[in-house]
Amino acid sequence: MGHTGVGGADPAGRVGAARREWFDQPRCFLTEHLNGHWDARTERRVSRALALPPLPSRRPRDEVWGVSVVRDEADIIELSVAHLLDQGVDHVLVADHLSHDGTTEKLRDLAWRDHRVHVVADREPGHFQKEKVSRLARAAWRAGARWIVPFDADEFWFAPGQPLASYLLEREATVVSGRMVDLLPLCAPVDRSTDFLVDRTGAGPRKVAFRAHPLALVGPGNHGVARVGADEPGLIVAHVPYRGPSQMRRKFATGASALRAAGASAAEGWHWAAGERYSEDQVAERWGAMRRGESVAEIGWRGVDPSRTRRVLEWTCWPAAGDGRCQRPDLP
């Protein structure tokens, strides 16, 4: 994979790009800390708790890396990592956050079978997602990443009309955002042939991929990044947060516990806190409502179209109108 870099062959463009990278980005980093959005003590605490494995070192920087912090996602983590690698991502760096459901063993097995997968032991009980993901992104930059894709275990990233990695390496922007599209599986466990009900509201929040830099700071939930330079839309993030009543209960309890351990504000992970209050019967009732296409506002579920299903994970890219290369040209 290759890329000419921001500014191309234009000397003035290259000078402007260098200024942004080595003057404006450090200033952005310092401003975030001075404004109280970041705390150096928490960053040091997180760094001490992340046991990074030896990583490759590559020059020039021409790779796309996925980075993630996961906890108790044994039913889907292998699928999401395999999807990124199929999309041309060169390496995946995953921090396992004290999982108890077999996620740790599955990640270790993936790393043993595929040298592109690297597993980090995350010993910090608190959520602290933005600090952890930013630390992983910095490690990926050192290892040769040109682009960083901060993903969650229940996300499947797509580009329009082509694989994700080649799409990113063609961009002149510094940040490329992805619109989230919620999916609801009709059966569990989820695999490539699963039929999904698809959110067609187009109202999902954005996620971001960005050009690697040692001072980039990923925002809460991977929904933003403190990174100077041009920002453009273009990606789709297929999101499978809920995969049945038992998984929902585990997700709510695990997430709410990690937020308490981090001393997080009520605004962060509010859907986990709301879901943790559900009884077993209430979770089953909400799952039934979701299957009928209804929204469940208290956990942030917008609803899906119950009349049509799609095998989204069979797609090689996100299809545009009239484009048959991704198997299904009728979704936006």
Side-chain angles (χ1 to χ4, degrees):
M1 297 179 190
H3 186 64
T4 59
V6 176
D10 175 20
R14 290 199 301 272
V15 170
R19 176 186 172 84
R20 288 192 297 273
E21 295 297 275
W22 305 115
F23 179 77
D24 293 345
Q25 185 60 44
R27 185 170 61 181
C28 174
F29 177 88
L30 290 173
T31 299
E32 287 289 306
H33 286 78
L34 291 173
N35 288 343
H37 300 154
W38 287 75
D39 176 60
R41 288 173 298 178
T42 301
E43 291 175 281
R44 289 194 295 271
R45 171 179 169 179
V46 164
S47 291
R48 288 193 296 267
L50 295 177
L52 288 158
L55 296 176
S57 180
R58 179 177 174 82
R59 300 294 187 277
R61 302 183 187 280
D62 60 355
E63 295 183 335
V64 178
W65 281 58
V67 300
S68 185
V69 179
V70 304
R71 185 172 186 176
D72 291 341
E73 300 279 9
D75 67 312
I76 203 166
I77 185 60
E78 291 178 291
L79 196 60
S80 59
V81 169
H83 174 80
L84 281 175
L85 296 175
D86 288 344
Q87 289 289 313
V89 170
D90 296 282
H91 292 269
V92 176
L93 181 62
V94 184
D96 176 59
H97 182 203
L98 302 173
S99 294
H100 298 290
D101 70 338
T103 298
T104 306
E105 292 74 18
K106 289 196 173 187
L107 284 171
R108 288 174 179 168
D109 182 62
L110 279 172
W112 182 80
R113 289 187 283 113
D114 194 322
H115 71 279
R116 298 172 295 175
V117 180
H118 313 276
V119 182
V120 178
D122 175 9
R123 298 183 294 262
E124 167 53 54
H127 184 55
F128 297 125
Q129 185 192 36
K130 64 187 178 70
E131 291 85 359
K132 293 178 181 181
V133 173
S134 297
R135 176 69 181 89
L136 298 179
R138 192 172 303 128
W141 171 82
R142 289 197 187 101
R146 181 185 293 271
W147 279 89
I148 303 292
V149 180
F151 73 101
D152 291 338
D154 55 11
E155 294 174 354
F156 299 85
W157 287 62
F158 291 91
Q162 68 184 102
L164 173 67
S166 59
Y167 181 88
L168 289 174
L169 289 166
E170 292 174 0
R171 300 302 100 192
E172 294 294 334
T174 303
V175 179
V176 180
S177 61
R179 176 173 62 88
M180 295 186 74
V181 175
D182 285 335
L183 307 179
L184 194 73
L186 293 184
C187 63
V190 171
D191 59 31
R192 289 185 187 275
S193 61
T194 295
D195 287 302
F196 293 97
L197 301 175
V198 182
D199 168 25
R200 297 181 61 81
T201 67
R206 80 170 196 159
K207 293 285 182 114
V208 292
F210 60 93
R211 197 176 293 272
H213 192 284
L215 300 181
L217 296 170
V218 182
N222 304 334
H223 292 299
V225 60
R227 184 72 172 92
V228 299
D231 186 333
E232 68 179 41
L235 302 175
I236 297 292
V237 181
H239 186 214
V240 194
Y242 303 121
R243 304 181 291 278
S246 61
Q247 179 269 336
M248 288 174 66
R249 294 190 73 202
R250 184 175 67 251
K251 183 183 186 76
F252 295 143
T254 299
S257 174
L259 289 173
R260 285 192 293 270
S265 69
E268 187 174 353
W270 54 269
H271 54 301
W272 291 339
E276 188 187 31
R277 294 191 289 268
Y278 288 160
S279 68
E280 186 173 352
D281 288 342
Q282 286 175 319
V283 171
E285 187 277 327
R286 299 310 194 273
W287 176 254
M290 293 159 68
R291 289 284 299 269
R292 294 190 296 273
E294 300 172 16
S295 64
V296 183
E298 64 264 29
I299 59 171
W301 184 254
R302 297 184 301 274
V304 293
D305 180 354
S307 65
R308 298 201 302 171
T309 64
R310 293 290 181 268
R311 292 187 175 182
V312 174
L313 300 188
E314 291 184 348
W315 298 352
T316 58
C317 55
W318 199 262
D323 184 353
R325 289 174 295 175
C326 303
Q327 298 185 2
R328 307 231 185 216
D330 54 333
L331 271 180

